[in-house]
Amino acid sequence: MPVILDGKKLSQEIQLEIKHTIEERRINGKKIPHLAAVLVGNDGASTTYVNSKIRLCKAVGMQSTFIHLDASTTESELLKIVHDINQNDDIDGFIVQLPLPKHINETNIIEAINPKKDVDGFHPINLGRMQLGLPAFISATPAGIVTMLERYQIETAGKHCVVIGRSNIVGTPMSILLSRNTNPGNCTVTICHSRTKNLKDICLQADIIVAALGKPEFVTADMVKEGAVVVDVGISRLDADNEKGYVIKGDVKFDEVAPKCAAISPVPGGVGLMTVVSLLMNTMKAVELNN
Ligand code: NAD
């Protein structure tokens, strides 16, 4: 049976570590870290994500502010709010939950965030610093995956890692992080995307697969070699005839892929929970950096 890369267990361990550090800061009269989250509109998934971030802040004793704006908020109104938070010394880090409504240019908003408070790590300065191996805020999902590989002591050096998906927030940073001269890292990385040919053949050569394409159960057993490590980033909400009205599916067909794997992360209960806790880890970094 494969090792299950248990994001729930790991995130609880890390939450406890953060809680202790915050308690120590309190005892030593240091600033309590403060995360702000800005949400524009009422998208169901985004609201769930932001609520879970705020809930986790409270659980570890971190200060939090949830700024919930109407879907009709204009780009200039949002920019003004971003500038205000940049100036607010009490807020150490903040996120603007993506996606934003169509009438707002996401790049303009991301570029307006002070890189020293950009705990989502989406600002070009943080992405550039990460690429150069300089201290930076690394976006929460790739950072969470790296932490997961590290804590489960998954050997990465010299391994062939296939990353499926090249988005700015997951696939691309993931491919950079795993190819760096670090541990975890030192992989030979192949990054695949919607125009990749022979994806199955490429996946069959992978020691590690990171599936981040957003297509439910796309990776099937015939694409995975025996003994591979599979990290499933996908989160798709599919309509279902249950109490919630939906089920969450990953990008990997877990039941048939898992038996072939040395280790695999489930969905739910894997990378998603690591993402939220990574945001808190970044906020801890921000309070150190900014105070
Ligand atoms: P995206 O839509 O921005 O990017 C998807 C990428 O997959 C693109 O680069 C595209 O080229 C590639 N792709 C699409 N179809 C493909 C195919 N048939 N073959 C190969 N590549 C293909 O998505 P994203 O923001 O990177 O998110 C990907 C998935 O991860 C989504 O399900 C999203 O919900 C999930 N996600 C999860 C977390 C988490 O915390 N677990 C965080 C962010 C995103």
Side-chain angles (χ1 to χ4, degrees), residues 47-66:
T47 308
T48 307
Y49 295 150
V50 174
N51 281 331
S52 67
K53 290 166 189 174
I54 298 292
R55 206 169 37 243
L56 217 57
C57 285
K58 291 191 173 133
V60 299
M62 191 176 278
Q63 217 186 320
S64 59
T65 300
F66 181 7

Side-chain angles (χ1 to χ4, degrees), residues 141 164-167 169-170 193-194 199 212-215 218 233-235 271-272 275:
T141 302
I164 316 175
R166 61 177 162 191
S167 73
I169 62 168
V170 188
H193 44 77
S194 52
L199 183 64
L213 69 159
K215 299 244 180 323
F218 180 90
V233 187
I235 300 180
V271 172
T275 297

Side-chain angles (χ1 to χ4, degrees), residues 57-283:
C57 285
K58 291 191 173 133
V60 299
M62 191 176 278
Q63 217 186 320
S64 59
T65 300
F66 181 7
I67 302 165
H68 195 175
L69 305 170
D70 198 81
S72 63
T73 304
T74 64
E75 185 173 315
S76 60
E77 285 167 342
L78 183 56
L79 280 171
K80 163 91 174 61
I81 286 164
V82 167
H83 289 306
D84 288 349
I85 304 177
N86 283 340
Q87 304 297 324
N88 183 339
D89 287 341
D90 195 53
I91 295 175
D92 303 294
F94 71 104
I95 62 155
V96 178
Q97 184 67 41
L98 302 181
L100 289 167
K102 293 271 177 289
H103 64 275
I104 299 177
N105 181 317
E106 285 186 353
T107 306
N108 291 346
I109 301 301
I110 290 168
E111 288 188 337
I113 295 173
N114 175 353
K116 290 188 173 164
K117 294 191 177 191
D118 171 38
V119 284
D120 251 344
F122 295 163
H123 192 286
I125 287 191
N126 279 312
L127 285 166
R129 289 180 67 89
M130 178 198 67
Q131 169 101 47
L132 296 169
L134 297 169
F137 288 115
I138 292 170
S139 34
T141 302
I145 295 170
V146 169
T147 305
M148 190 178 234
L149 296 173
E150 188 180 17
R151 299 258 181 146
Y152 273 94
Q153 297 179 349
I154 301 291
E155 205 183 315
T156 56
K159 303 288 182 187
H160 181 204
C161 177
V162 171
V163 178
I164 316 175
R166 61 177 162 191
S167 73
N168 290 339
I169 62 168
V170 188
T172 296
M174 200 63 241
S175 68
I176 294 166
L177 290 169
L178 286 176
S179 64
R180 287 192 316 188
N181 185 4
T182 50
N183 183 29
N186 279 313
C187 288
T188 304
V189 177
T190 303
I191 183 158
C192 300
H193 44 77
S194 52
R195 305 288 285 272
T196 297
K197 289 187 178 141
N198 306 323
L199 183 64
K200 180 181 161 186
D201 293 341
I202 297 168
C203 285
L204 279 168
Q205 293 168 30
D207 303 306
I208 301 170
I209 295 177
V210 178
L213 69 159
K215 299 244 180 323
E217 301 190 323
F218 180 90
V219 177
T220 45
D222 59 335
M223 297 167 76
V224 179
K225 83 172 174 192
E226 284 292 337
V229 172
V230 174
V231 178
D232 189 351
V233 187
I235 300 180
S236 298
R237 269 191 198 222
L238 304 182
D239 291 341
D241 195 10
N242 61 15
E243 210 176 293
K244 285 183 184 166
Y246 65 87
V247 284
I248 300 289
K249 291 279 179 197
D251 284 345
V252 177
K253 204 160 189 180
F254 185 90
D255 290 347
E256 65 173 56
V257 171
K260 296 186 87 173
C261 295
I264 184 166
S265 71
V267 176
V271 172
L273 296 163
M274 293 305 296
T275 297
V276 188
V277 89
S278 294
L279 184 66
L280 300 196
M281 289 167 88
N282 277 350
T283 309

